[in-house]
Amino acid sequence: MARKMLVDGELNQTNKEGAEYDFDLFVIGAGSGGVRAARFSANYGAKVGICELPFHPISSEVIGGVGGTCVIRGCVPKKILVYGATFGGEIEDARNYGWEVNEKLDFNWKKLLQKKTDEINRLNGIYKRLLSNASVKLLEGEGKIVGPNKVEVTQPDGTKLSYSAKHILIATGSRAHRPPIPGQELAITSDEALSLDDLPKHAVVFGGGYIAVEFASIWRGLGATVDLFYRKELPLRGFDDEMRAVVARNLEGRGIKLHPQTNLTELVKTDNGIKVITDHGGELIADVVLFATGRLPNTKRLNLEAVGVEIDKTGAVKVDEYSRTNIPSIWAVGDVTNRMNLTPVALMEGTCFAKTVFGGESSKPDYRNIPCAVFSIPPLSIVGLSEEEAIEQVNGDVLVFTSTFNPMKNTVSGRQEKTIMKLVVDAETDKVLGASMCGPDAPEIMQGIAVALKCGATKAQFDSTVGIHPSAAEEFVTMRSVSRRVTARGKAKTNL
């Protein structure tokens, strides 16, 4: 049964009463956001259809898979490889804990790759069952919009199916971007990096974001020589500057060679591998070059311009605060809108969409205090404002509390790698505006801190919380001394 849509307390009828449709909702894209929106809408009583490209670990314009980027070629397989890469350092650290480890350690890349593939196949099946259990009709094929209430699905054999829907949701995600330099076809993206037949001996990573830092850590942890090139002074643009410096120091400490403020200008195939040429005139030979230079929304083949759906210069679908496009019956969630490109955010947007359109509850996604993590080795995790953002946004002074220490585990293992934690506080209200940590288990710890910030916790409440001892996490409730006080719109200074 089709339902009326509630927005801002008023019923907004996007179609004439009594109109008949094949579906109340048709979703194009069965990734995290699309599956969430489809399932929750169906739970509200909507008749829902969803389409997705045929499954394959490496995506293209005509292959993809239920579960989307995160499950098949993103967060999940990446985290499995991070776990695998972390064991190398753990085994070395174990020596000083009494474990007699042979000098030569053997690593079987193909075994890890197969285990990763087995897991994404399992999750692909789980996502299909989630849709089936919610009575969502799943169609395999490429979807495009041919009218405000009409979609066309091209099946793998070329057969075209046409469906009408009261509401259409675009949830097609994004795809890796390749910089247009000579020889760019010799490079790989994160898709291929997760499915390489052989572990590289010497890898070049171009980019300074999450994906670049994470793959540099993975390959180095598995024994490869790694050179990381990026355009800025520090990696991870947009994160707290002090934490960026810590990550850079840790990457170097783990043996990754950093090349800040350096662009790649050309790749050349040679008998010995791929010759990498930089804008500083430098050259080196690598057997793998990874482009991790951002992602672009998947909208090119959706026929949006013909239907009149507005997109921005990157191809992202323009939406309002309810995820609705300029065409009243068409909506979009997830990376395809290029708002905050994180899997849990796509889940939130899909949930809010279902509540708004079919649940009778006007619901806007809340982008405040969203935690995130960079799974470098060791990882970085943050929630709330960085020091730089707080200085720009707060009217009064900003108090910064930091704690830098050698984790207990390292005192015995001998690893020279410090953990750093940070709280950013509004001096006038005592409210904690941001928290960050770089060190072992940072994402696990930060998820709990995120709850506190979501509840509006003050520094006094942090201070009054009893810590768990001995743990790294207790440092967040024992930072008593102000590291620095910064006047709003001043310049943040690090202790590094």
Side-chain angles (χ1 to χ4, degrees):
M1 172 181 175
R3 295 175 180 242
K4 295 175 182 178
M5 180 181 65
L6 185 66
V7 176
D8 289 337
E10 296 181 359
L11 289 173
N12 185 337
Q13 296 165 279
T14 61
N15 306 101
K16 294 179 181 179
E17 284 300 318
E20 293 294 328
Y21 300 99
D22 296 319
F23 295 100
D24 298 320
L25 170 66
F26 195 94
V27 183
I28 302 177
S32 299
V35 169
R36 172 63 64 88
R39 289 173 53 222
F40 280 35
S41 296
N43 289 340
Y44 285 124
K47 183 180 180 182
V48 182
I50 189 169
C51 69
E52 178 55 70
L53 298 168
F55 173 84
H56 195 279
I58 300 173
S59 69
S60 75
E61 291 182 336
V62 293
I63 51 177
V66 176
T69 297
C70 177
V71 169
I72 300 171
R73 62 194 70 88
C75 328
V76 172
K78 177 269 305 283
K79 186 73 179 291
I80 290 171
L81 297 192
V82 169
Y83 280 134
T86 302
F87 278 112
E90 296 282 338
I91 293 169
E92 289 298 323
D93 290 351
R95 297 179 193 276
N96 282 340
Y97 277 91
W99 291 91
E100 299 298 332
V101 182
N102 292 332
E103 288 301 317
K104 186 176 184 304
L105 295 176
D106 291 324
F107 171 70
N108 188 330
W109 166 254
K110 292 188 185 300
K111 184 174 184 178
L112 176 58
L113 202 65
Q114 185 58 53
K115 292 292 184 181
K116 180 271 298 182
T117 301
D118 291 346
E119 179 60 9
I120 65 174
N121 284 332
R122 185 183 74 87
L123 292 172
N124 174 251
I126 286 176
Y127 268 68
K128 287 180 178 178
R129 287 195 294 276
L130 287 172
L131 291 169
S132 176
N133 291 342
S135 298
V136 174
K137 183 176 178 61
L138 172 61
L139 296 153
E140 187 173 75
E142 181 182 10
K144 73 175 182 178
I145 302 173
V146 293
N149 300 98
K150 184 152 285 194
V151 297
E152 181 181 272
V153 179
T154 303
Q155 296 181 295
D157 65 1
T159 304
K160 295 184 186 297
L161 305 173
S162 183
Y163 297 98
S164 60
K166 185 172 185 181
H167 299 283
I168 298 170
L169 178 66
I170 302 166
T172 49
S174 61
R175 180 169 290 122
H177 165 67
R178 289 174 175 268
I181 66 172
Q184 59 91 13
E185 70 281 357
L186 300 173
I188 62 172
T189 69
S190 55
D191 279 14
E192 295 87 3
L194 290 163
S195 298
L196 288 175
D197 289 335
D198 298 300
L199 179 68
K201 292 181 174 62
H202 186 176
V204 163
V205 180
F206 182 33
Y210 286 76
I211 295 172
V213 167
E214 290 170 345
F215 273 100
S217 291
I218 289 168
W219 284 333
R220 181 60 196 143
L222 296 175
T225 298
V226 179
D227 286 82
L228 177 61
F229 294 81
Y230 47 92
R231 300 182 183 101
K232 302 295 181 181
E233 272 187 62
L234 292 168
L236 300 175
R237 179 171 59 90
F239 284 79
D240 186 285
D241 284 349
E242 189 166 19
M243 291 295 163
R244 295 170 68 198
V246 171
V247 170
R249 186 175 64 199
N250 288 343
L251 293 173
E252 285 189 305
R254 293 269 175 164
I256 296 168
K257 187 172 182 182
L258 304 185
H259 303 265
Q261 297 178 303
T262 306
N263 267 309
L264 302 192
T265 56
E266 186 177 2
L267 304 180
V268 180
K269 188 174 183 179
T270 73
D271 292 339
N272 298 320
I274 302 170
K275 181 194 289 185
V276 178
I277 303 172
T278 76
D279 58 352
H280 298 323
E283 294 184 3
L284 57 83
I285 300 290
D287 48 335
V288 165
V289 177
L290 170 66
F291 283 166
T293 49
R295 298 178 66 84
L296 294 175
N298 267 331
T299 54
K300 189 167 67 172
R301 293 164 65 97
L302 290 174
N303 198 43
L304 298 185
E305 290 183 5
V307 180
V309 175
E310 292 181 356
I311 58 175
D312 68 15
K313 61 182 180 181
T314 69
V317 179
K318 292 183 178 181
V319 293
D320 65 13
E321 56 193 349
Y322 291 96
S323 300
R324 193 181 198 180
T325 73
N326 61 303
I327 305 298
S329 57
I330 301 176
W331 310 69
V333 297
D335 287 12
V336 75
T337 65
N338 199 28
R339 286 176 284 184
M340 186 175 284
N341 298 336
L342 297 168
T343 295
V345 173
L347 296 174
M348 172 181 66
E349 291 169 355
T351 300
C352 291
F353 162 82
K355 286 181 178 179
T356 298
V357 180
F358 298 106
E361 180 185 347
S362 178
S363 183
K364 305 175 188 177
D366 182 1
Y367 298 97
R368 295 169 298 177
N369 293 321
I370 291 175
C372 64
V374 179
F375 290 98
S376 50
I377 303 175
L380 165 68
S381 192
I382 66 165
V383 64
L385 302 181
S386 67
E387 181 176 346
E388 293 73 31
E389 289 170 335
I391 290 167
E392 286 298 317
Q393 295 179 29
V394 172
N395 291 323
D397 287 358
V398 173
L399 304 179
V400 179
F401 297 81
T402 59
S403 178
T404 303
F405 57 93
N406 203 31
M408 179 184 285
K409 185 178 178 183
N410 290 358
T411 61
V412 173
S413 71
R415 181 173 293 280
Q416 299 301 306
E417 192 171 73
K418 293 189 181 297
T419 287
I420 181 168
M421 297 178 172
K422 183 173 185 176
L423 291 175
V424 178
V425 179
D426 185 325
E428 182 178 348
T429 65
D430 197 43
K431 185 175 180 179
V432 179
L433 304 174
S436 49
M437 174 182 175
C438 185
D441 302 317
E444 311 298 335
I445 293 169
M446 199 56 61
Q447 182 66 78
I449 301 294
V451 176
L453 264 66
K454 194 75 173 176
C455 294
T458 63
K459 182 62 168 63
Q461 289 171 323
F462 269 68
D463 293 344
S464 67
T465 301
V466 177
I468 298 172
H469 184 75
S471 71
E474 68 180 311
E475 289 293 319
F476 273 118
V477 298
T478 59
M479 286 189 270
R480 302 284 193 268
S481 301
V482 177
S483 299
R484 54 189 170 273
R485 185 184 190 107
V486 187
T487 301
R489 296 177 180 81
K491 186 173 182 181
K493 296 180 180 179
T494 73
N495 287 332
L496 300 175

